[in-house]
Amino acid sequence: MLRPLHKNVILRLDRCDLQESGGIVLKPSASRPCLAVVEAVGPDVEDQDYGPGDVVVYHPLNPVSFAEGDHEYLILQDEDILAVQESGHEL
């Protein structure tokens, strides 16, 4: 697994609903936030309200993606994390 640097966060892709009901697959945009699991947090991330294992909603506009094994991962900036899922509450 990679170790994020600076203010970067590594997420394991969980769910990103990019398919319309008619079957059209859309490009990620600011109007369609996605869910992911935090895998690692960079050392310069300040005021962390999340950590490894937390499910977060993130802004999907410009992440760097990579695959390892059966999982797809994203590297993005700390400010692209929009919300943390409260434990016991499913989206």
Side-chain angles (χ1 to χ4, degrees), residues 31-84:
S31 63
R32 294 188 173 272
C34 300
L35 290 176
V37 178
V38 176
E39 289 291 320
V41 178
D44 296 333
V45 174
E46 299 174 7
D47 300 322
Q48 295 183 63
D49 292 325
Y50 56 86
D54 286 336
V55 176
V56 296
V57 175
Y58 68 94
H59 187 286
L61 208 48
N62 291 315
V64 173
S65 63
F66 67 97
E68 185 174 288
D70 293 338
H71 298 288
E72 184 176 346
Y73 296 90
L74 305 170
I75 301 174
L76 48 86
Q77 295 278 318
D78 169 53
E79 62 260 13
D80 291 332
I81 304 289
L82 303 176
V84 180

Side-chain angles (χ1 to χ4, degrees), residues 15-29 31-34:
R15 185 175 80 213
C16 190
D17 296 327
L18 298 177
Q19 188 165 340
E20 291 283 319
S21 60
I24 298 171
V25 177
L26 303 173
K27 184 175 181 178
S29 70
S31 63
R32 294 188 173 272
C34 300

